[in-house]
Amino acid sequence: MLQPSTFNNNLLEWYHSNKRDLPWRQTEDPYKIWLSEVMLQQTQVITVIPYFEKFITKYPTLSDLADADEESLLKDWEGLGYYNRIRNFQSAVREVKENYGAEVPEDPDEFFKLKGVGPYIGGAVQSIAFNHLLAAVDGNVLRVMSRLNADARDTTKAGVQKSVKEEIESMMPLEAGDFNQALMELGATICTPRTPKCIVCPVQEHCEAFRDNTVHDYPVKKKKSKKKEEYYNVYFIVNDREEIYLYRQEGDLLKGMYELPKFDVDTSIENIESELGVELDQKKVYIGSDKHVFTHKVWYMESYLLHTTSSNEHFMPLDEVRNVPMSTAMKKVFRKLAADGAGGL
Ligand code: SF4
C-alpha cells in the first residue's frame, strides 16, 4: 500500500514541472475538458490534438455542438474511429442544453446520468473541471498502480479496476484533477508499457515492482480471446451517370457512416441485385484486397467494380463522395480504387 503524503507530493511536484503542454490543459471550460476526454478514450494524444483544435474552433460552445448536424459532426470525427463516442456525446450535450441551461452539471450524480458517461469519463471530467475527489482509471493508471503495488491481480477484471479506483480515491489530495492527470501522465511518459524509465521516475522510492526488480511482470492481463474474422466482398457499383451506390449504416458500431455494399463472399450476383434493387452486368472487375482490424473483429475484404444502368435513391455522384462521413475501413477500399486509376477518388 502506498504512503499517500510523500507519494502525492513527489507525483504532483513532478507533474507541475514536467506536464506536457496540451491544448485541453489550457482551458477551464468543462465542455472542452469533457470533449477532450471523449476523444482521448481509445485514441492517442498525438492523434487527438488536431481533432480537438478543429472541434473547439468549429463548435466553440456546448450549444454549438448540440445544434450541429449529425452528418457534419460524423464527417469531422472521421478518422478518430469508435463513432459511438461522438454520437453519445452529442446526445449528452443536447440533454445538458435542454435540462441544465447548457452548463455541464457540477453534481457528479447528475453528470453520471448522461449518455456515454461511464466511470472513466465521469471521474476525469468531474475531477479536472470541478475538483471532485473521483479517480479516472484508464490503461495507463492501471499499469502504474499495478507496478507501484506489485499487484498480480488481472487488471482486465472489472472488480480489480474498481478496487484500484477505490485505492486512488482513498489517497487523493484536494488537487484531484491534477492528481488524476499526473498518474495518467506518468503512465504515458515514464511508466510506459515496454521500456519504463524507472531511473528518472519521480515515485521510484514507492515502487514495489522496481524494488523487487519485477517491473516487467506487471500489469497482469489475461489473454485476449482471438478476434472474430469476417470475410466480405465489397462492391463499387457505378452507373452511366457517374454515380455510385452507397448506403448509411443503421444499427451497429458504424451507425450513420456511409458504406459501400458488402456481402458474404459466396453471395451470388442475382442475390445482390435483388437485395439492392439494381440490375448488374455479370462481369465484375477485381480491384484488390484489404483488411481492417476493429477491437473485437477483423474484416477481410475483396473489392470489385460492377457496372449498372440502374439508379435509385442510394446512388450518389462520385464527386460528392468525399463530402460524406465514411469509416476508415471503407476509405481503405476507396483508396485501392483510386490507386487502380478508376474513379479518381
Ligand atoms: Fe513505473 Fe518504474 Fe516508476 Fe515503478 S519505478 S512506477 S515501474 S516507472
Side-chain angles (χ1 to χ4, degrees):
M1 206 57 176
L2 296 164
Q3 292 306 311
S5 54
T6 47
F7 173 82
N8 293 2
N9 289 343
N10 293 351
L11 181 66
L12 285 169
E13 260 176 40
W14 167 80
Y15 177 68
H16 289 141
S17 17
N18 292 279
K19 65 181 175 189
R20 290 168 294 175
D21 184 20
L22 301 172
W24 45 90
R25 289 185 176 154
Q26 291 155 13
T27 179
E28 294 185 350
D29 179 345
Y31 153 69
K32 290 176 186 161
I33 292 168
W34 185 7
L35 171 66
S36 72
E37 291 300 339
V38 171
M39 289 180 162
L40 286 164
Q41 261 198 322
Q42 323 272 5
T43 309
Q44 294 196 329
V45 164
I46 192 78
T47 309
V48 166
I49 292 173
Y51 282 90
F52 178 77
E53 284 173 338
K54 174 169 71 176
F55 267 68
I56 59 167
T57 305
K58 191 161 175 190
Y59 311 106
T61 69
L62 184 142
S63 295
D64 293 322
L65 198 135
D67 296 340
D69 166 62
E70 190 197 71
E71 192 164 314
S72 1
L73 209 52
L74 286 168
K75 182 71 189 160
D76 290 333
W77 192 267
E78 202 176 75
L80 270 183
Y82 302 100
Y83 294 89
N84 266 341
R85 289 184 294 175
I86 186 62
R87 277 191 292 267
N88 289 341
F89 185 57
Q90 190 180 37
S91 301
V93 296
R94 282 181 171 163
E95 196 177 335
V96 171
K97 186 179 174 201
E98 206 158 297
N99 298 333
Y100 299 91
E103 299 284 339
V104 176
E106 198 173 335
D107 175 349
D109 290 339
E110 293 300 311
F111 189 65
F112 275 98
K113 287 182 197 160
L114 298 167
K115 198 157 185 188
V117 177
Y120 172 77
I121 291 278
V125 175
Q126 289 289 312
S127 64
I128 298 169
F130 306 117
N131 253 341
H132 284 297
L133 301 185
L134 290 169
V137 179
D138 67 356
N140 281 326
V141 173
L142 282 171
R143 181 172 61 257
V144 170
M145 292 301 288
S146 72
R147 287 173 175 168
L148 285 167
N149 288 323
D151 183 347
R153 292 176 299 170
D154 179 355
T155 54
T156 64
K157 294 254 189 281
V160 174
Q161 294 173 9
K162 186 162 172 276
S163 122
V164 170
K165 181 172 170 1
E166 284 166 2
E167 184 190 350
I168 296 171
E169 286 172 358
S170 73
M171 58 197 258
M172 191 164 252
L174 292 176
E175 296 166 84
D178 279 359
F179 189 69
N180 279 332
Q181 292 188 87
L183 278 174
M184 291 188 239
E185 189 83 348
L186 188 73
T189 62
I190 302 282
C191 193
T192 52
R194 292 207 186 92
T195 48
K197 305 173 187 72
C198 300
I199 208 75
V200 294
C201 176
V203 292
Q204 185 206 83
E205 67 181 277
H206 307 274
C207 183
E208 288 188 36
F210 178 76
R211 190 192 59 211
D212 302 344
N213 200 17
T214 55
V215 168
H216 290 284
D217 293 349
Y218 306 99
V220 173
K221 291 181 188 175
K222 77 169 186 321
K223 275 224 161 45
K224 283 189 188 150
S225 55
K226 198 168 178 293
K227 288 179 198 281
K228 187 174 168 217
E229 295 180 346
E230 296 178 359
Y231 294 82
Y232 295 111
N233 284 350
V234 178
Y235 294 100
F236 295 90
I237 300 175
V238 180
N239 66 18
D240 298 330
R241 307 205 314 233
E242 300 213 330
E243 295 171 328
I244 188 163
Y245 189 106
L246 291 174
Y247 70 97
R248 285 194 88 186
Q249 280 278 4
E250 283 300 329
D252 75 355
L253 74 171
L254 296 173
K255 187 173 172 226
M257 308 301 283
Y258 283 80
E259 298 281 294
L260 291 159
K262 70 178 194 317
F263 290 89
D264 290 340
V265 289
D266 53 0
T267 310
S268 67
I269 292 285
E270 290 72 25
N271 283 347
I272 296 172
E273 287 180 319
S274 85
E275 188 80 24
L276 303 181
V278 295
E279 279 182 28
L280 297 168
D281 283 357
Q282 293 292 314
K283 189 169 160 288
K284 55 185 187 182
V285 179
Y286 178 70
I287 303 286
S289 62
D290 268 296
K291 168 178 154 185
H292 190 72
V293 182
F294 295 91
T295 320
H296 302 298
K297 60 184 174 184
V298 186
W299 282 358
Y300 292 93
M301 300 173 287
E302 301 277 321
S303 48
Y304 295 90
L305 187 61
L306 275 168
H307 180 257
T308 180
T309 49
S310 312
S311 185
N312 61 33
E313 74 279 9
H314 290 289
F315 281 84
M316 175 180 289
L318 276 167
D319 55 6
E320 285 178 20
V321 170
R322 58 171 59 88
N323 301 324
V324 298
M326 190 169 283
S327 67
T328 305
M330 285 298 149
K331 288 195 141 192
K332 278 186 190 168
V333 180
F334 261 98
R335 276 200 287 274
K336 259 300 187 273
L337 181 67
D340 191 59
L345 289 161

